[in-house]
Amino acid sequence: MKFISPKTDFAFKKIFASQESKPILISFLNALVYHNQPLIQDLEIIDPYQSSPLPILKDSFLDVKAKLRDGSLVIIEMQVLQVESFARRVLYNAAKAYSLQLGQGEGYRYLKPVIALTITDFIMFPENNQVINHFEFREKSTNISYVENYLQLLFVELPKFEKQLEELEELDELWMFFLKNAPSLDTVPDKMAQLPEFQQAFGIASQANLTRKELEELGKREMFIHDQQGLILFAEKQGREKGMKQGMKQGREEGMKQGKEEGEKEKAQAIARQLLPLLDDETISQTTGIPVEEIRKLR
């Protein structure tokens, strides 16, 4: 049995954003957003396309968007490629989802919290080893939370998740393992097969259940990602080679400069040795530029 990679936007939306995916998404969000607590009992999966009535605001595509029972919005994005200004894009999409809740004339009291969950296939925060980083507004010096933390950013960095199948214990670990390793599995692991939401997720992710058109679309998305990753690696390689060449050039120039200085020093010392029987130390120092202390050592 072969499974498609949930990392592509096509597969991610198919697994988590279809109407029959509601139990999958509830389990997924309870695990990653609410630390394995079953706080979400129901939700509504809605069109993730954010369209603004203001022409100055850009339109944005999200992978999944859901409204919880209390009205809170959760927007989810799976990002494989590390592109320029990605962190700003995440903040922009979260702020936009928050601001677009109100219709004309509606008061701010109708605003509901927005949680932006971003899963990345690259490392965004190398300064720590946490797989999940949760950001909210806090006072800088006292660290107290803002009165109403209605805008929160969560990041899941898959490269940091290194647990193997036999080490998995919590629900969030099972979901991260699924996201990272589904294409390399031949069967549904026993730990996951016991949970209905994983049975359903693997069923949707099975290549056998995809139409030919869906497989073609998936192939195009994967090819695009591989091409972009290749371009990134090529650019990084060129940057390293350019840096090495510059370093070698600077090294040669520095070496020539250092060699010239050593030669001048040896030449001055040779002259100083010839003058030792003829002149005093101070006069030799003034003539050759060698410090008096070194003249005394030569003598």
Side-chain angles (χ1 to χ4, degrees), residues 238-253:
Q238 282 190 318
R240 287 194 299 269
E241 291 176 351
K242 185 177 180 181
M244 290 176 63
K245 288 180 180 178
Q246 290 178 343
M248 291 173 65
K249 182 180 178 181
Q250 292 174 354
R252 287 196 300 269
E253 292 175 350

Side-chain angles (χ1 to χ4, degrees), residues 264-274 288 290 294 298:
E264 293 293 336
K265 183 178 180 180
E266 291 179 3
K267 181 180 178 180
Q269 287 178 344
I271 295 172
R273 288 190 183 93
Q274 293 177 358
T288 61
I290 299 175
E294 292 189 23
L298 290 175

Side-chain angles (χ1 to χ4, degrees), residues 37-56:
Q37 300 299 314
L39 299 183
I40 303 175
Q41 298 297 321
D42 193 16
L43 54 76
E44 176 190 359
I45 300 175
I46 55 182
D47 185 358
Y49 180 63
Q50 292 188 173
S51 180
S52 170
L54 302 177
I56 60 172

Side-chain angles (χ1 to χ4, degrees), residues 5-9 12-13 28 62-64 76-81 86 89 117-122 156 158 179:
S5 173
K7 294 179 184 179
T8 63
D9 57 348
F12 193 86
K13 291 176 183 178
F28 184 74
L62 303 167
D63 291 327
V64 181
I76 310 171
E77 184 175 4
M78 174 75 227
Q79 183 69 19
V80 175
L81 300 171
F86 175 68
R89 189 178 88 191
L117 172 60
T118 305
I119 302 104
T120 67
D121 201 28
F122 52 87
V156 179
L158 292 180
L179 291 174

